[in-house]
């Protein structure tokens, strides 16, 4: 049977819903799981093509819908170095997903082979999924496409999204000067835990941390990671795990998780943490994390991605200087429009570090971060990491310290390059990064929170008939269409002290996200509500 015939035969089992149009966005494809079978099959075809385009290198496929409700699912591709799919290929994914019939699908597939001048090499793909009930069914659709295209593949079963990114990069760099580690789940734990121990340098964490795992895949994977960490008697770090029920899929992201905490500005009901105790929440596939605590007056205090970015940038900047590399490493911070204005001011005025503002979406932040020797990027939602350039890694690795103090700082810096998952935002490694920094600074959550005062802010979701009529510019801080709406938003913002607001289209659904901040909570809520009203009217 030819590949053409094999695709036609296999595709017949996964017909495209006639009334739906699909679009590959920042998070890949994401929607109700019941609609995804044909999409996942076609992503399998794309993964095979992408591997051929990369001369047989391994491509990753992750089946997850992250922080979405349990009935949703999604699928996205991972490029050979563990990065997101190259942006120019997103359009190919969209064309394949929307081919109306099996014959149309094969035509799009064969056209891609011709246009990309693909060599006849053996494709290689690995894949994994989160804990959603629909996962095994969608894996079957993916495997059918890989079989039809004679692709060699490995099913890694249940993994966090960052673990799949890590393994993809490890497999593709084996035996090269850029070897990233042992390409197994256990290799991930050993590398991460070993680096944590080195980075701690014998320091003790001040008490434990309670981690809400969103009843997702992060729960069992964090429990596994803990087995590789130094005993509590050595590190002082006790990790208390809550919301790790993966037996009941309907509990995923329900009243828990990073998105619940960030959006609702409150702790999960199950947290039960005491005042001033450190708490953290992961999302459903463990690629984002936020911290929080309850202060002495029982007020909820959020320590989100902005806070993690400023903490990491401050620590790495200080380490670079104390190691004697201050003049040789350019440390910078990448933010999106969602970053709190107070954090932006703190980075620029207090830390005196350069800032780049980009469009929302990991691919944009990741790309911008590569412009620095050490690029720190986090979205306010807690998704982010730190990227060390090849030059930075070379300088950190080869530098000869001139004193014991420089030597200690250099050892910590080297350990951080191993602890941090540089392929993508990783809640588990980011958790340990934060704990290392707090231990070295001797800080609790209160001291961390006191570095600057967030402007009160509000994020509102607004359903619209068609999100594509809203066109954003200036790193998504302004709307150029519909005509006139930005002028109306500007007029509203001008009425509030420290006011700032913007609206941007969701990457996965017909909805707009409206963000607003102002000098007081009441003003921020009022501004968000009024801008949401403008958006609702324009989009109805």
């Amino acid at each position: 049977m030819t590949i053409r015939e094999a695709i036609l035969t296999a595709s017949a089992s996964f017909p495209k819903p006639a009334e739906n149009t699909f679009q590959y966005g920042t998070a890949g494809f994401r929607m109700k799981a019941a609609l995804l079978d044909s999409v996942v099959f076609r992503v399998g075809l794309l993964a095979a093509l992408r591997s051929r385009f990369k001369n047989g290198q391994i491509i990753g496929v992750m089946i997850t819908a992250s922080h979405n409700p349990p009935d949703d699912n999604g699928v996205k591709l991972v490029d050979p170095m563990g990065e997101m799919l190259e942006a120019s290929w997103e359009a190919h994914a969209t064309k394949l997903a929307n081919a109306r019939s099996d014959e149309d699908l094969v035509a799009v597939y064969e056209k891609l082979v011709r246009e990309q001048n693909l060599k006849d090499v053996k494709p290689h793909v690995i894949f994994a999924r989160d804990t959603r009930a629909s996962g095994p069914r969608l894996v079957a659709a993916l495997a059918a496409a890989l079989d039809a295209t004679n692709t060699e593949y490995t099913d890694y079963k249940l993994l966090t999204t960052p673990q799949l990114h890590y393994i993809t990069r490890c497999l593709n760099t084996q035996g090269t000067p850029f070897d990233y580690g042992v390409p197994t789940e256990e290799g991930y734990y050993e590398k991460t835990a070993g680096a944590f121990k080195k980075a701690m340098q014998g320091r003790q964490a001040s008490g434990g941390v309670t981690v809400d795992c969103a009843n997702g895949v992060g729960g069992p994977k964090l429990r596994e990671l803990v087995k590789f960490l130094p005993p509590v008697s050595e590190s002082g770090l006790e990790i208390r795990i809550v919301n790790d029920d993966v037996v009941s899929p309907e509990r995923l992201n329900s009243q828990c998780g990073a998105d619940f905490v960030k959006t609702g500005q409150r702790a999960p009901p199950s947290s039960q943490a005491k005042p001033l105790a450190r708490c953290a929440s992961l999302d459903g596939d463990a690629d984002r994390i936020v911290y929080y605590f309850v202060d002495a007056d029982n007020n909820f205090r959020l320590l989100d991605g902005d806070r993690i970015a400023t903490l990491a940038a401050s620590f790495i900047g200080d380490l670079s200087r104390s190691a004697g590399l201050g003049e040789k490493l350019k440390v910078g911070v990448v933010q999106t429009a969602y970053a709190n204005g107070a954090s932006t001011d703190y980075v620029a005025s207090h830390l005196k570090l350069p800032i780049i503002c980009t469009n929302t979406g990991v691919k944009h932040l990741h790309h911008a971060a590569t412009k620095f020797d050490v690029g720190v990027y986090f979205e306010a939602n807690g998704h982010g990491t730190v990227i060390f350039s090849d030059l930075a890694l070379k300088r950190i690795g080869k530098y000869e310290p001139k004193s014991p103090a420089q030597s200690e700082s250099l050892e910590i810096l080297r350990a951080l390059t191993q602890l941090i998952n540089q392929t993508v935002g990783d809640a588990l490694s980011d958790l340990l990064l934060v704990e290392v920094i707090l231990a070295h600074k001797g800080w609790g959550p209160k001291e961390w929170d006191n570095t600057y005062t967030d402007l009160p802010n509000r994020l509102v979701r607004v359903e619209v008939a068609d999100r594509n009529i809203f066109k954003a510019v200036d790193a998504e801080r302004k709307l150029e269409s519909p005509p006139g709406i930005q002028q109306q938003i500007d007029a509203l913002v001008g009425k509030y002290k420290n006011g700032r607001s913007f609206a941007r289209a969701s990457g996965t659904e017909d909805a707009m996200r409206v963000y607003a901040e102002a000098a007081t909570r009441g003003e921020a809520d009022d501004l968000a509500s009024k801008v949401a009203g403008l958006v609702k009217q324009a989009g109805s």
Side-chain angles (χ1 to χ4, degrees):
M1 189 184 292
T2 64
I3 287 181
R4 175 188 175 85
E5 291 167 341
I7 293 174
L8 281 170
T9 301
S11 179
S13 299
F14 308 101
K16 178 191 174 294
E19 66 279 8
N20 295 98
T21 302
F22 305 113
Q23 186 174 337
Y24 195 103
T26 302
F29 293 109
R30 192 178 293 178
M31 66 200 77
K32 290 296 179 190
L35 298 172
L36 263 173
D37 297 71
S38 69
V39 173
V40 173
F41 176 82
R42 292 157 185 225
V43 165
L45 301 182
L46 185 73
L49 291 173
R50 184 68 178 163
S51 179
R52 287 173 62 183
F53 181 80
K54 291 290 186 177
N55 294 313
Q57 283 188 292
I58 294 159
I59 298 297
V61 180
M62 187 70 199
I63 295 175
T64 179
S66 189
H67 59 278
N68 281 37
D71 290 343
D72 288 2
N73 216 325
V75 61
K76 55 187 174 183
L77 264 62
V78 179
D79 262 353
M81 288 300 285
E83 71 273 52
M84 308 296 282
L85 176 66
E86 184 186 317
S88 65
W89 274 63
E90 292 178 6
H92 304 328
T94 299
K95 282 179 186 173
L96 282 167
N98 290 301
R100 288 175 296 181
S101 66
D102 299 335
E103 288 75 16
D104 287 346
L105 175 62
V106 171
V108 173
Y109 177 91
E110 291 178 337
K111 186 179 180 186
L112 271 173
V113 172
R114 291 192 303 273
E115 285 180 348
Q116 300 298 324
N117 194 25
L118 297 184
K119 301 179 181 68
D120 190 19
V121 295
K122 184 82 168 174
H124 295 84
V125 170
I126 65 170
F127 56 87
R129 59 184 173 86
D130 68 13
T131 56
R132 293 165 194 272
S134 56
R137 188 189 85 240
L138 297 175
V139 160
L142 177 64
L146 300 178
D147 286 332
T149 50
N150 291 326
T151 300
E152 189 174 304
Y153 60 88
T154 303
D155 180 0
Y156 279 84
K157 310 293 183 185
L158 294 175
L159 288 179
T160 69
T161 293
Q163 286 175 330
L164 184 77
H165 283 254
Y166 163 85
I167 291 172
T168 302
R169 181 162 177 169
C170 289
L171 287 168
N172 285 304
T173 56
Q174 279 185 114
T176 75
F178 305 101
D179 193 317
Y180 197 63
V182 179
T184 63
E185 186 180 342
E186 186 170 311
Y188 168 91
Y189 298 132
E190 288 175 341
K191 179 181 179 181
T192 305
F196 172 76
K197 185 175 181 179
K198 285 181 183 174
M200 286 293 275
Q201 292 276 306
R203 283 171 174 77
Q204 292 264 323
S206 176
V209 57
T210 298
V211 184
D212 152 35
C213 296
N215 293 317
V217 70
K221 302 312 181 186
L222 179 55
R223 286 200 182 278
E224 202 59 33
L225 174 59
V226 167
K227 295 175 186 176
F228 291 79
L229 294 175
V232 175
S233 59
E234 285 183 29
S235 68
L237 179 60
E238 180 183 359
I239 298 177
R240 175 177 168 254
I241 298 172
V242 298
N243 295 323
D244 63 333
D245 178 6
V246 295
V247 177
S248 310
E250 70 278 1
R251 297 188 64 186
L252 175 68
N253 295 319
S254 177
Q255 297 287 296
C256 60
D259 196 56
F260 173 86
V261 171
K262 171 67 178 170
T263 305
Q265 305 267 320
R266 61 192 176 103
S270 56
S271 176
Q272 298 176 344
K274 294 176 182 175
L276 300 180
R278 293 194 307 287
C279 300
S281 285
L282 321 181
D283 67 341
D285 64 338
D287 67 353
R288 63 168 82 168
I289 184 171
V290 294
Y291 268 74
Y292 49 93
F293 70 103
V294 175
D295 68 17
D297 298 321
N298 217 33
N299 296 310
F300 173 79
R301 305 293 299 170
L302 179 67
L303 299 159
D304 61 7
D306 296 342
R307 295 278 181 178
I308 298 171
T310 55
L311 185 73
S314 170
F315 187 63
I316 292 170
D318 288 346
L319 274 182
S320 300
R321 286 186 289 274
S322 57
L325 287 165
E327 298 300 314
K328 295 186 172 83
L329 295 178
K330 183 182 180 184
V331 180
V333 177
V334 183
Q335 296 184 325
T336 71
Y338 285 114
N340 194 280
S343 76
T344 307
D345 184 62
Y346 177 77
V347 172
S349 303
H350 183 78
L351 300 183
K352 301 194 183 312
L353 293 175
I355 302 169
I356 296 174
C357 186
T358 73
N359 285 4
T360 302
V362 180
K363 61 187 178 186
H364 300 298
L365 286 107
H366 197 93
H367 177 71
T370 62
K371 292 178 168 54
F372 299 112
D373 295 322
V374 183
V376 181
Y377 77 81
F378 275 84
E379 294 182 286
N381 64 24
H383 193 151
T385 190
V386 182
I387 300 176
F388 296 83
S389 70
D390 290 340
L391 180 61
L393 291 172
K394 192 173 181 180
R395 285 176 171 165
I396 292 167
K398 291 190 172 181
Y399 184 73
E400 293 288 341
K402 308 293 190 295
S403 68
Q406 279 194 5
S407 181
E408 182 181 340
S409 293
L410 193 62
E411 284 304 307
I412 298 167
L413 195 54
R414 285 171 178 165
L416 292 188
T417 67
Q418 297 297 304
L419 173 62
I420 295 163
N421 186 345
Q422 296 181 54
T423 65
V424 74
D426 184 340
L428 302 188
S429 74
D430 289 341
L431 170 76
L432 296 182
L433 172 65
V434 168
E435 293 300 325
V436 164
I437 298 172
L438 294 180
H440 277 276
K441 287 181 174 288
W443 283 3
K446 183 180 177 184
E447 290 78 13
W448 182 10
D449 189 43
N450 284 342
T451 50
Y452 62 86
T453 302
D454 271 325
L455 287 167
N457 58 88
R458 180 62 69 198
L459 181 62
V460 179
R461 177 180 173 275
V462 182
E463 290 188 4
V464 293
D466 179 9
R467 69 183 186 274
N468 294 312
I469 68 168
F470 295 89
K471 304 294 182 190
V473 293
D474 188 22
E476 300 179 318
R477 291 174 287 193
K478 303 280 185 185
L479 285 174
E480 67 175 5
S481 68
I485 191 170
Q486 187 58 51
Q487 289 80 0
Q488 292 176 285
I489 293 173
D490 290 343
L492 282 174
V493 167
K495 297 176 182 177
Y496 297 85
K497 184 181 178 183
N498 295 333
R500 182 171 74 92
S501 184
F502 65 91
R504 63 170 288 274
S506 164
T508 56
E509 57 183 340
D510 277 323
M512 297 290 291
R513 312 276 189 226
V514 172
Y515 176 88
E517 62 186 30
T520 68
R521 162 62 58 206
E523 288 178 308
D525 289 347
D526 192 48
L527 178 56
S529 175
K530 286 180 176 172
V531 174
L534 286 177
V535 170
K536 183 78 175 171
Q537 184 178 3
S540 60

